[in-house]
Amino acid sequence: MRKDVRILLVGEPKVGKTSLIMSLVSEEFPDEVPLRAEEITIPADVTPERVPTHIVDYSEAEQSDEQLYQEISKANVICIVYSVNNKKSIEKVTSHWIPLINDRTDKDSRVPLILVGNKSDLVEHSSMETILPIMNQYQDIETCVECSAKNLKNISELFYYAQKAVLHPTGPLYCPEEKELKPSCIKALTRIFKISDLDNDGTLNDSELNFFQRTCFNTPLAPQALEDVKNVVRRNMMDGVKDNGLTLKGFLFLHTLFIQRGRHETTWTVLRRFGYDDDLELTQEYLFPLIKIPPDCTTELNHNAYLFLQSVFDKHDKDRDCALSPEEVKDLFKVFPYMPWGPDVNNTVCTNEQGWLTYQGYLSQWTLTTYLDVQRSLEYLGYLGYSIIYEQESQAAAITVTRNKRIDLQKKQTQRSVFRCNVLGARGSGKSGFLQAFLGRNLQRQRRIREEHKSFYAISTTYVYGQEKYLLLHEVMPDIDFLTETDLACDVVCLVYDVNNPRSFEYCAKVYKQYFIDSKTPCVVIAAKSDLHEVRQHYSLSPHDFCRKHKLHPPQPFTCSTNEAPSKDIYTRLTTMAMYPHARLRCMCACNRCTYCLCQNLLKLELLRSIKAQLRTVVFNSSRQPSRSLYSLTRRAVTVLCQLTNSVVARCSHTRLWLPLVLFLLHVFTLC
């Protein structure tokens, strides 16, 4: 909405332009009328629409044509004043003033016109019969007002309509010739309808209508008022109401009716609440709210954002198969001006056997977008109406900005949920296969991927000590001399080489020595295609000796040439290293002897599940027969157990004494 309104009054001499302005200001007819009134500014708190209004007079006697042209170019609305008792002044409206104004304004941004018939106190008849054909001929004419500066008749109404013509213009909404809404208006109202249709059944039920009413006008509709609205639609449209709910056709009919009855401010209130500007485009302020992201911080979706996205998924998963078919995805994005997700998305996140986006894959793609390009994520949430549905000031409320990574390293703990792993390796080393295997695809499924649909990202969830985390894999192009800051900025690095290619490991060694040898970023060497014959690498050190020399974990064998989905153990270990880079876990094997393996096995024990069940039973019984000391003791025990388990995770490379202590506590809890 505009911050102010500029009204220009033009017309033939002696029609009463200056008198109208002075009568409005002084609320009485002036005894003496100057040739031209000075520009007047009416404060915002006095006007009905609460915006400052500037009223500008024009006098042919005092101003040149050039000054008139300048005023026309600055005006937001122009009132063409004529005298109802002077036929010549009426004829001049079409023969002089309208052509003059049209010549001096852009065709695509014409200013609204208001015809003002002054001196109605001097005649007994109305001039509307003469004016109506003119209004029908020129689309830019918003309305016509007959008034009297002498009797103060319709003076306030005149300037109200002028202000309204600027703030709530009819032109972008309605075509008078066709007597129907314009396509851009229908498109905007259709998006609003789909956002408000919370259950996606094609109708707005009473609950949804009330939510819409509260959202736009801050007040609900009484039950009788709701019925009256639906009855009006029923009387005028066959399919405007279905199953006692308002259909899209009925919704559009109501807004057509508002505009035809001169209440287009109602439609504009709805449009602006949903982010539209005067050209029926979503505003930049709505789509891209301000959000500050300090250096070394990342962006993630918060809990409310995931709840909202879950509701959007459920709304469009019509067959309830926990996956979105191509048709369901298309329906979801109907509120977007373009299709935001291409075919590469299906190779970036998890899909079902049919290649459809699963619920987990859907959330993963949103997580990826928020991490890599938060502005685009804000834009997408804006199209879906997040701030409206969740009654937030903007989509920025859906974003969590994580703290600086250096603080995480100092405190040896992190609250982040998304971790980035950059995957580097020579061409043909198996990087793409490593990414696709993370999504559960073996080599046979990977061969079906078309080259143009290939993705350099893969994201899914892993579980680290019972906590769900997102691991984002990024395949870096193999150009050792031109690695950018983005290629190097990550939480963990994967160096992939092909065990069957004797020149493959050399690239990994050079990259490590050039970029990561002094870095605090954990690095893992992946021996890809481990199902093939391992050959001697043409490098001064073997991969095992290289890792031993630089205190890295031994090369991790990996293959995606399996009958079933590839194992995800390696990805869990990568996430663990990203979460605890200070821990420097001694191994990434399955030896069942080191602290890492013992901790993993401990957390998988049936005993632990049994302990949890017994503790829940104790808490439940104590809540039925309150015993504050027992309840407090149980809560304390659970807290201590969690703290000790986390300590094992964080310090397993420094001591093995925590493990017996935790086992002892488990034994004690079992006895209790």
Side-chain angles (χ1 to χ4, degrees):
M1 186 182 286
R2 291 184 179 274
K3 295 182 179 180
D4 62 356
V5 174
R6 190 174 182 85
I7 304 171
L8 172 65
L9 274 69
V10 299
E12 294 299 295
K14 306 295 183 181
V15 293
K17 302 184 294 296
T18 308
S19 299
L20 288 170
I21 297 173
M22 297 187 72
S23 294
L24 173 73
V25 175
S26 61
E27 297 185 351
E28 62 180 8
F29 187 69
D31 294 331
E32 295 184 9
V33 180
L35 290 175
R36 176 175 173 267
E38 294 296 324
E39 181 178 326
I40 292 169
T41 299
I42 302 175
D45 55 355
V46 178
T47 63
E49 297 294 338
R50 301 293 178 184
V51 291
T53 302
H54 311 283
I55 302 174
V56 181
D57 191 11
Y58 165 70
S59 171
E60 185 178 328
E62 289 200 349
Q63 291 175 286
S64 65
D65 289 346
E66 189 60 37
Q67 288 174 310
L68 172 62
Y69 301 154
Q70 288 178 2
E71 290 296 347
I72 289 174
S73 65
K74 291 191 290 184
N76 302 130
V77 57
I78 299 176
C79 296
I80 304 176
V81 185
Y82 63 91
S83 176
V84 295
N85 66 341
N86 185 338
K87 287 186 179 180
K88 185 178 179 181
S89 68
I90 297 175
E91 291 171 0
K92 282 282 190 175
V93 169
T94 55
S95 64
H96 176 68
W97 290 108
I98 293 179
L100 173 68
I101 293 167
N102 287 343
D103 288 343
R104 296 291 164 179
T105 54
D106 217 8
K107 188 176 181 181
D108 296 329
S109 56
R110 291 275 172 84
V111 293
L113 306 177
I114 293 181
L115 303 185
V116 181
N118 193 21
K119 304 184 181 182
S120 63
D121 58 294
L122 299 180
V123 296
E124 294 183 359
H125 62 275
S126 173
S127 63
M128 293 306 292
E129 288 186 8
T130 308
I131 295 300
L132 279 175
I134 299 174
M135 293 180 65
N136 292 332
Q137 183 181 353
Y138 295 96
Q139 297 181 21
D140 301 329
I141 299 176
E142 288 284 324
T143 188
C144 176
V145 182
E146 288 192 346
C147 57
S148 170
K150 187 173 183 179
N151 295 342
L152 305 183
K153 177 186 174 184
N154 288 342
I155 301 298
S156 298
E157 287 80 357
L158 158 63
F159 291 101
Y160 168 70
Y161 286 131
Q163 191 183 60
K164 183 177 172 182
V166 177
L167 301 177
H168 310 298
T170 309
L173 305 180
Y174 187 72
C175 180
E177 290 82 7
E178 303 293 334
K179 295 184 179 179
E180 60 184 25
L181 298 174
K182 289 188 174 180
S184 57
C185 183
I186 293 174
K187 182 180 177 181
L189 290 174
T190 301
R191 169 181 169 266
I192 292 169
F193 179 89
K194 288 189 69 67
I195 289 173
S196 303
D197 183 13
L198 301 177
D199 56 9
N200 200 30
D201 65 348
T203 63
L204 299 182
N205 57 38
D206 288 358
S207 174
E208 290 166 341
L209 281 170
N210 257 320
F211 179 79
F212 171 81
Q213 179 75 11
R214 285 197 313 273
T215 298
C216 297
F217 305 103
N218 298 318
T219 179
L221 283 172
Q224 187 56 48
L226 275 173
E227 283 304 312
D228 291 343
V229 168
K230 286 185 277 190
N231 286 334
V232 169
V233 177
R234 284 191 188 101
R235 286 195 297 269
N236 291 274
M237 293 199 75
M238 290 289 293
D239 49 358
V241 177
K242 180 182 176 183
D243 299 330
N244 204 35
L246 192 67
T247 65
L248 174 59
K249 287 186 177 180
F251 184 73
L252 295 175
F253 166 77
L254 277 179
H255 284 282
T256 305
L257 197 62
F258 290 144
I259 295 167
Q260 289 174 343
R261 294 184 177 180
R263 291 176 53 193
H264 33 283
E265 67 272 15
T266 303
T267 301
W268 275 114
T269 301
V270 171
L271 289 165
R272 286 181 176 131
R273 178 66 185 90
F274 279 78
Y276 289 94
D277 61 14
D278 291 347
D279 298 319
L280 297 186
E281 298 287 343
L282 290 171
T283 65
Q284 294 295 297
E285 293 78 11
Y286 173 78
L287 290 177
F288 305 104
L290 183 64
I291 182 170
K292 294 183 179 179
I293 307 169
D296 292 328
C297 297
T298 58
T299 48
E300 301 176 1
L301 294 167
N302 60 29
H303 180 64
N304 282 339
Y306 280 116
L307 288 179
F308 171 74
L309 293 172
Q310 179 183 347
S311 69
V312 172
F313 182 93
D314 292 339
K315 174 178 172 178
H316 293 89
D317 182 20
K318 294 179 180 179
D319 52 9
R320 296 291 181 264
D321 62 348
C322 289
L324 294 179
S325 67
E327 291 75 21
E328 290 170 338
V329 171
K330 195 176 294 183
D331 184 50
L332 189 155
F333 289 126
K334 277 184 179 178
V335 295
F336 284 58
Y338 57 88
M339 186 64 179
W341 293 355
D344 61 310
V345 169
N346 290 42
N347 300 315
T348 305
V349 298
C350 293
T351 58
N352 63 11
E353 290 297 325
Q354 296 167 284
W356 298 354
L357 282 179
T358 62
Y359 171 69
Q360 188 58 58
Y362 163 83
L363 291 183
S364 296
Q365 179 62 27
W366 278 100
T367 304
L368 173 70
T369 305
T370 305
Y371 186 93
L372 295 179
D373 189 350
V374 68
Q375 291 298 321
R376 180 155 295 189
S377 186
L378 291 171
E379 178 189 0
Y380 292 174
L381 289 170
Y383 291 137
L384 291 173
Y386 171 81
S387 60
I388 295 157
I389 301 298
Y390 267 55
E391 301 180 30
Q392 300 287 342
E393 185 177 343
S394 72
Q395 298 88 264
I399 305 298
T400 295
V401 179
T402 64
R403 69 185 180 189
N404 193 298
K405 187 178 176 182
R406 285 176 294 180
I407 298 176
D408 286 350
L409 290 170
Q410 290 170 4
K411 293 182 176 290
K412 297 186 178 181
Q413 59 180 359
T414 183
Q415 297 174 337
R416 290 187 296 153
S417 299
V418 186
F419 298 92
R420 177 169 180 156
C421 172
N422 283 354
V423 181
L424 298 98
R427 294 186 186 277
S429 59
K431 300 187 298 298
S432 298
F434 185 73
L435 266 66
Q436 291 301 311
F438 183 35
L439 306 178
R441 296 172 185 142
N442 58 21
L443 190 59
Q444 186 178 0
R445 287 187 63 185
Q446 291 178 29
R447 285 172 177 162
R448 302 175 198 161
I449 300 174
R450 295 165 62 178
E451 185 63 29
E452 61 268 27
H453 296 166
K454 181 182 175 182
S455 174
F456 292 100
Y457 292 94
I459 183 170
S460 188
T461 55
T462 60
Y463 286 86
V464 178
Y465 306 116
Q467 301 177 64
E468 185 183 52
K469 301 294 179 182
Y470 282 95
L471 179 64
L472 163 60
L473 301 179
H474 175 215
E475 180 182 344
V476 178
M477 297 302 291
D479 193 340
I480 192 170
D481 296 322
F482 295 99
L483 293 182
T484 65
E485 288 187 11
T486 305
D487 298 331
L488 302 174
C490 57
D491 302 298
V492 62
V493 174
C494 256
L495 300 171
V496 181
Y497 76 96
D498 179 358
V499 299
N500 194 240
N501 183 348
R503 299 190 178 278
S504 184
F505 180 73
E506 182 180 9
Y507 176 89
C508 297
K510 286 183 177 179
V511 167
Y512 178 80
K513 291 171 73 174
Q514 184 170 340
Y515 295 105
F516 299 108
I517 192 168
D518 296 321
S519 170
K520 293 183 179 180
T521 305
C523 294
V524 178
V525 177
I526 303 294
K529 306 181 185 181
S530 59
D531 57 304
L532 302 179
H533 173 68
E534 184 173 1
V535 298
R536 185 177 182 278
Q537 295 293 319
H538 293 179
Y539 188 69
S540 56
L541 294 173
S542 70
H544 282 79
D545 291 339
F546 181 89
C547 291
R548 189 180 302 112
K549 177 181 178 181
H550 295 285
K551 299 181 180 178
L552 298 174
H553 301 298
Q556 303 298 301
F558 175 82
T559 180
C560 54
S561 181
T562 57
N563 293 327
E564 304 297 329
S567 171
K568 287 195 174 184
D569 288 348
I570 184 64
Y571 305 104
T572 302
R573 292 164 186 170
L574 287 171
T575 313
T576 306
M577 294 180 71
M579 285 181 66
Y580 304 103
H582 57 280
R584 300 292 181 186
L585 303 180
R586 284 183 179 173
C587 82
M588 296 183 66
C589 60
C591 65
N592 292 321
R593 293 190 301 275
C594 66
T595 308
Y596 178 86
C597 293
L598 289 172
C599 289
Q600 286 283 8
N601 292 337
L602 169 64
L603 291 169
K604 294 177 183 177
L605 282 177
E606 186 64 34
L607 174 63
L608 187 61
R609 297 175 188 170
S610 175
I611 296 295
K612 289 181 180 178
Q614 290 184 42
L615 288 175
R616 288 195 190 100
T617 304
V618 171
V619 173
F620 177 72
N621 291 336
S622 63
S623 64
R624 295 180 63 182
Q625 299 178 354
S627 172
R628 297 189 63 179
S629 60
L630 179 59
Y631 184 72
S632 300
L633 178 64
T634 306
R635 290 187 61 185
R636 178 63 180 161
V638 173
T639 302
V640 170
L641 178 60
C642 293
Q643 289 174 345
L644 289 175
T645 304
N646 286 335
S647 297
V648 171
V649 173
R651 302 180 59 182
C652 60
S653 64
H654 301 296
T655 178
R656 296 169 64 92
L657 296 178
W658 290 101
L659 187 60
L661 182 56
V662 172
L663 290 170
F664 172 74
L665 281 172
L666 287 172
H667 181 64
V668 171
F669 291 151
T670 307
L671 292 176
C672 293

